[in-house]
Amino acid sequence: MSTPRWQGIFPAVTTKFHADESIDAEGTARHIDFQIRNGIHGLVTCGSLGEASTLMLEEKLEVARVALEAANGRIPVLANVSETSTREALRYIDGANKLGVAGFMVMPSVIYVADAREAMLNVRTMAEAAQKPVMVYNNPVAYRVDLKPEHMVELADCQWIAAIKESTDNIRRITDLRNALGDRYQLFLGVDDLAYEGLALGCDGLLAGVGCAFPRETVALYDLMKAGKFAEALKLYQWMTPMLHLDVSTKLVQNLKLIDVLVGVGTEHMRRPRLPLIGDERKAIEAIVQKALATRPVQYQSVA
């Protein structure tokens, strides 16, 4: 297998719904096209931000199909695999492969807190079934399963594992992975408000959340960092950071869908039990986004 060079900004795209909670295929496609036109390098469907836990397997495949049609070959489309059993994960992988996704982002384990032996076997089984490049999503903060550098060394013989989305919230992990594995894996930072730090330490890209509403700005941050223009990148990052904090929250879906509304690129429709924000909680998010829009750097502004 020729290992892909995934790099740059890969938004974990939101899933758009109608008011009755059915999938809004047109809205999802329109939002994906907006992001592609503003320079993103790839995307991942039906992750945590995409409300995967509320979707049936068939609905996840529908979202992947919509994303593939919207992308139309312009960027790689990865399907996130976050099933509660290996058996269901393999069924989803089979369906997504038939649709033609470029690869997968896989969760080592969700709901059940697997130990390293269980998590590694699950990842290996999914990767070998996929027979396509796989990004391992490591998020011990949210999911309490941690594949550490030594575990990724053990998995390095699996040719299908190409990348890691690292979301430990411990920026030291990036250097530890590089020291242990060199360039064996492409490294993506999965914590929005550690984006500058991750890129400064040599990450190949970002799995972005706020980037769904501000794609060009997020791509500009990546480009500036890769060009060594750290001071200019820092100013852009500092402008974005109050919004980036909103991705690191149990209400990230509500927060980021409200951002979509305020920016004019989406709706707040989501699946219950999630509900749109109200009261002081909503006012606080609105104030952050309105300030960001009022001070938005013109030279990096996303185009509707």
Side-chain angles (χ1 to χ4, degrees):
M1 181 194 74
S2 177
T3 303
R5 289 305 307 172
W6 289 337
Q7 57 187 5
I9 305 305
F10 279 52
V13 296
T14 51
T15 303
K16 304 304 182 189
F17 297 104
H18 295 292
D20 65 358
E21 300 187 17
S22 62
I23 292 174
D24 179 0
E26 182 180 342
T28 299
R30 186 166 55 248
H31 195 205
I32 288 171
D33 180 68
F34 158 73
Q35 293 173 75
I36 294 173
R37 287 187 290 102
N38 281 283
I40 64 167
H41 305 93
L43 64 84
V44 180
T45 63
C46 297
S48 305
L49 183 56
E51 299 177 67
S53 62
T54 71
L55 298 171
M56 302 295 289
L57 185 146
E58 292 75 17
E59 291 177 315
K60 294 177 188 178
L61 291 175
E62 171 65 7
V63 173
R65 182 193 64 77
V66 169
L68 285 164
E69 290 184 359
N72 195 27
R74 290 177 288 175
I75 58 168
V77 172
L78 280 58
N80 175 63
V81 185
S82 55
E83 309 311 304
T84 55
S85 71
T86 305
R87 181 172 180 159
E88 274 299 279
L90 298 184
R91 195 161 76 90
Y92 177 44
I93 287 169
D94 179 64
N97 259 338
K98 289 173 180 174
L99 290 173
V101 297
F104 296 89
M105 185 170 78
V106 302
M107 302 285 292
S109 184
V110 292
I111 299 182
Y112 170 63
V113 183
D115 64 23
R117 178 177 66 95
E118 294 169 322
M120 285 191 292
L121 180 58
N122 195 34
V123 166
R124 189 181 292 274
T125 301
M126 290 187 287
E128 291 176 352
Q131 298 283 291
K132 282 185 178 176
V134 163
M135 178 186 295
V136 178
Y137 178 16
N138 192 52
N139 189 342
V141 177
Y143 299 105
R144 297 184 292 161
V145 177
D146 191 7
L147 289 182
K148 299 176 181 178
E150 58 265 33
H151 303 132
M152 296 311 300
V153 169
E154 287 191 48
L155 289 168
D157 65 311
C158 181
Q159 65 172 321
W160 303 108
I161 303 176
I164 302 168
K165 174 189 175 183
E166 188 55 66
S167 297
T168 58
D169 211 11
N170 175 5
I171 200 63
R172 301 178 188 88
R173 178 62 62 85
I174 300 305
T175 301
D176 289 341
L177 284 165
R178 284 291 187 222
N179 285 342
L181 289 144
D183 293 326
R184 166 60 184 85
Y185 302 110
Q186 290 131 62
L187 299 184
F188 280 70
L189 207 287
V191 182
D192 267 21
D193 57 2
L194 286 175
Y196 183 96
E197 294 85 345
L199 291 172
L201 291 172
C203 279
D204 297 289
L206 305 174
L207 243 296
V210 173
C212 291
F214 294 93
R216 190 176 175 207
E217 292 86 342
T218 310
V219 169
L221 176 66
Y222 170 81
D223 288 341
L224 290 168
M225 292 297 290
K226 290 302 176 180
K229 298 179 179 179
F230 302 119
E232 189 175 349
L234 182 58
K235 290 180 181 179
L236 178 59
Y237 183 60
Q238 289 169 337
W239 167 78
M240 295 181 73
T241 293
M243 291 188 295
L244 299 180
H245 290 327
L246 303 178
D247 181 69
V248 188
S249 165
T250 55
K251 292 190 176 181
L252 79 163
V253 174
Q254 293 94 317
N255 292 345
L256 270 61
K257 283 199 166 180
L258 177 52
I259 292 176
D260 283 351
V261 170
L262 296 171
V263 174
V265 296
T267 71
E268 280 187 276
H269 301 315
M270 59 194 85
R271 282 204 171 159
R272 291 172 292 175
R274 289 185 177 92
L275 294 171
L277 300 175
I278 59 173
D280 290 342
E281 196 172 26
R282 185 182 187 88
K283 290 177 183 177
I285 307 300
E286 289 175 339
I288 289 169
V289 178
Q290 286 164 359
K291 181 178 179 181
L293 291 174
T295 58
R296 195 176 191 176
V298 176
Q299 67 269 41
Y300 308 126
Q301 188 169 331
S302 295
V303 179

